[in-house]
Amino acid sequence: RSRRGGTGRDRGDTGSAMDPPSAGGLGGADPQLQRFIEVETQKQRFQQLVHQMTELCWEKCMDKPGPKLDSRAETCFVNCVERFIDTSQFILNRLEQTQKSKSAFSESLSD
């Protein structure tokens, strides 16, 4: 039975070769390929963000779907999307500040 577990790991290692390369593994890759992967990754992140926003706002604003969007639901959707964007931007800015302060801290340690 212990051999069976080893075989499962081997299969897992083979499967991981199918995973997309990480950014760290692209050091020697063609710059055009790196840029393509970066752009595609950004597109995927954007699509995920839109999907999350759509799901969140739909659940919040749609009581019962009908043939037309009433003014209350429309206002709710607009507010929901604006708050989602504001929150996402706030989190992004906060992460950037945290990263900058961490790098400044590590630089001061190395001095």
Side-chain angles (χ1 to χ4, degrees):
R1 288 188 186 256
S2 62
R3 285 183 178 239
R4 205 175 219 179
T7 305
R9 277 193 299 248
D10 292 343
R11 271 189 256 135
D13 291 343
T14 304
S16 65
M18 299 297 288
D19 293 340
S22 65
L26 293 175
D30 178 21
Q32 285 182 322
L33 177 61
Q34 287 178 342
R35 182 67 187 140
F36 174 77
I37 290 172
E38 288 172 10
V39 168
E40 291 303 310
T41 301
Q42 288 295 335
K43 287 180 186 178
Q44 182 182 18
R45 287 183 184 151
F46 179 74
Q47 288 173 345
Q48 287 173 336
L49 191 64
V50 169
H51 178 73
Q52 288 174 336
M53 181 179 60
T54 302
E55 186 175 347
L56 175 75
C57 294
W58 181 267
E59 290 296 321
K60 183 170 182 61
C61 298
M62 284 306 291
D63 292 333
K64 29 188 169 155
K68 284 181 105 177
L69 195 62
D70 64 7
S71 62
R72 188 199 67 76
E74 185 176 348
T75 302
C76 180
F77 274 115
V78 169
N79 289 333
C80 182
V81 169
E82 287 176 354
R83 297 302 71 79
F84 188 91
I85 292 170
D86 290 345
T87 303
S88 298
Q89 190 63 47
F90 174 81
I91 291 170
L92 181 63
N93 290 340
R94 188 69 159 170
L95 289 172
E96 286 176 355
Q97 287 175 346
T98 303
Q99 190 172 16
K100 285 178 186 176
S101 65
K102 280 184 181 179
S103 64
F105 179 71
S106 64
E107 285 175 12
S108 68
L109 287 178
S110 63
D111 289 342

